[in-house]
Amino acid sequence: MEFILGAIFGFVCFFFVRYLKKQIHEKKGVKSKEYKNMPFKEKLRDTIRHIVFEYNIKRKNNDFLLNIYFDGIQLMQIMHRSHFPELCKSEYDVSFGLALYIPTKSMSINQIESLKLLLHEESEIIKHVDGGEISYFIVDLGTRIRFGGYLLTRIIKEVFNEQESKMSLKLFSEGELPYQLN
């Protein structure tokens, strides 16, 4: 009798968890069809793909920095996730992942609010640090190439209202991670 009750309980829990995951995934990528074939997204996705290949596969877990500029003004950066302790599980966690860093110092209140809504709609791991002079958002992109290109494109279009022709990217190789234990 206990075995049958346990099996029924497990079966119900399994479908309940699947239902919750489906509900969460339906919220993510809400506008992905609008941004699907934009050249803007392609350029960002290809750059992220290059970073994942070059700094995680080819040179195992190396450090990098990608600056994203519009009209010569830096809006965002993508860095190795280990630079942000709030994204790491412990002080020894230096596993590879992309962290999107968005400083909010030069943003308007409307831009910050629309960025908050967009990030809570699209991403699971978001940190907002508001320390007066130093205020920024950090988004853990992991190694999700398509999602990273989509999210960046959506932020650039909806929050900053920027055009692709004004964008420039600069990728820097920073060598080995300073946090790795030997």
Side-chain angles (χ1 to χ4, degrees), residues 101 103-106 129-136:
Y101 168 77
T104 59
K105 186 175 182 178
S106 62
V129 176
D130 191 7
E133 284 292 312
I134 301 172
S135 180
Y136 58 88

Side-chain angles (χ1 to χ4, degrees), residues 35-53:
Y35 294 101
K36 186 175 182 178
N37 294 322
M38 295 182 76
F40 203 47
K41 181 182 173 196
E42 297 293 320
K43 184 175 183 179
L44 291 166
R45 190 181 71 206
D46 289 344
T47 303
I48 292 171
R49 180 178 288 119
H50 171 76
I51 290 170
V52 170
F53 176 76

Side-chain angles (χ1 to χ4, degrees), residues 96-177:
F96 183 83
L98 305 171
L100 174 62
Y101 168 77
I102 307 170
T104 59
K105 186 175 182 178
S106 62
M107 294 172 66
S108 71
I109 293 174
N110 289 340
Q111 286 177 320
I112 292 171
E113 289 304 314
S114 84
L115 180 62
K116 280 182 187 178
L117 289 172
L118 190 149
L119 292 178
H120 286 290
E121 184 177 290
E122 291 290 351
S123 192
E124 295 93 20
I125 303 174
I126 308 159
K127 302 293 179 186
H128 181 214
V129 176
D130 191 7
E133 284 292 312
I134 301 172
S135 180
Y136 58 88
F137 283 93
I138 293 292
V139 181
D140 192 353
L141 299 175
T143 56
R144 300 174 293 176
I145 295 168
R146 281 190 209 135
F147 175 73
Y150 160 71
L151 183 63
L152 282 168
T153 303
R154 188 165 173 207
I155 290 170
I156 291 165
K157 288 290 190 184
E158 293 182 19
V159 176
F160 296 108
N161 293 323
E162 293 292 349
Q163 304 300 318
E164 179 183 13
S165 60
K166 299 178 183 181
M167 182 176 78
S168 63
L169 304 172
K170 291 186 181 175
L171 178 61
F172 300 97
S173 179
E174 302 290 316
E176 290 187 17
L177 279 173

Side-chain angles (χ1 to χ4, degrees), residues 48-60:
I48 292 171
R49 180 178 288 119
H50 171 76
I51 290 170
V52 170
F53 176 76
E54 188 71 28
Y55 298 98
N56 186 38
I57 297 170
K58 191 173 178 185
R59 291 184 250 161
K60 194 67 178 159

